[in-house]
Amino acid sequence: MERGVNRARPIARGNEALEKLCRTYWWPLYGFVRRQGYRPEEAQDLTQGFFALLLERRDLDVIRREKGRLRSYLLVSLKNFLAKARRYDMAVKRGEGRSLVPLDELLARERADLEPADTLSAEKIYERR
């Protein structure tokens, strides 16, 4: 029983450290996201999403003190996260890879609807065009 308790202590300390890290850096990172032009709700979602991904991928496990400062790492990681989120949002707006109807085609259809009614048959109108 004692052996299981000893193993649980480092895990509990690790979780406490992660929680402290998230609490310490949440507001500064949230503020950075807000200054990028996001509304408060969007900034909250993006900041939470960033931390969730950071913890899910266990990115903090690979950080070494000699490679640089934690805050610099977090800021660069957040910038990359935001860039990917922006690219994803733009892809969604562009149809996520689905084929789109070209704008010229839509405008041509609209012009066709505006043409005056003609007594000619559809074939004659087609030939005239």
Side-chain angles (χ1 to χ4, degrees):
M1 177 99 166
E2 183 66 29
R3 184 177 273 186
V5 171
N6 288 338
R7 288 184 192 163
R9 285 185 188 147
I11 292 171
R13 282 191 215 123
N15 289 340
E16 288 172 13
L18 280 175
E19 182 179 340
K20 182 178 179 183
L21 177 116
C22 291
R23 288 184 186 278
T24 301
Y25 283 98
W26 196 92
W27 281 107
L29 292 173
Y30 167 79
F32 179 84
V33 175
R34 284 283 289 137
R35 286 181 198 89
Q36 300 303 303
Y38 290 97
R39 293 177 313 185
E41 300 82 23
E42 293 172 318
Q44 289 171 3
D45 290 346
L46 287 166
T47 305
Q48 286 297 108
F50 170 70
F51 276 111
L53 184 65
L54 195 71
L55 296 174
E56 177 185 313
R57 292 189 331 196
R58 302 182 61 85
D59 288 351
L60 298 175
D61 292 351
V62 298
I63 296 175
R64 301 281 181 256
R65 171 169 256 145
E66 61 274 4
K67 287 192 174 185
R69 296 177 183 256
L70 175 63
R71 68 175 171 258
S72 298
Y73 174 82
L74 289 174
L75 185 58
V76 169
S77 296
L78 178 63
K79 287 178 181 180
N80 289 331
F81 177 82
L82 292 175
K84 287 178 184 175
R86 216 172 280 122
R87 281 193 301 272
Y88 175 78
D89 287 345
M90 292 305 294
V92 168
K93 288 179 184 178
R94 287 188 306 257
E96 295 184 32
R98 287 180 247 137
S99 62
L100 302 176
V101 176
L103 186 57
D104 293 339
E105 188 178 317
L106 291 174
L107 293 174
R109 288 181 189 170
E110 188 175 298
R111 278 182 291 201
D113 291 341
L114 295 177
E115 287 186 14
D118 203 333
T119 56
L120 297 174
S121 68
E123 286 100 12
K124 293 285 186 191
I125 293 172
Y126 172 79
E127 287 174 18
R128 189 182 281 179
R129 286 191 186 150

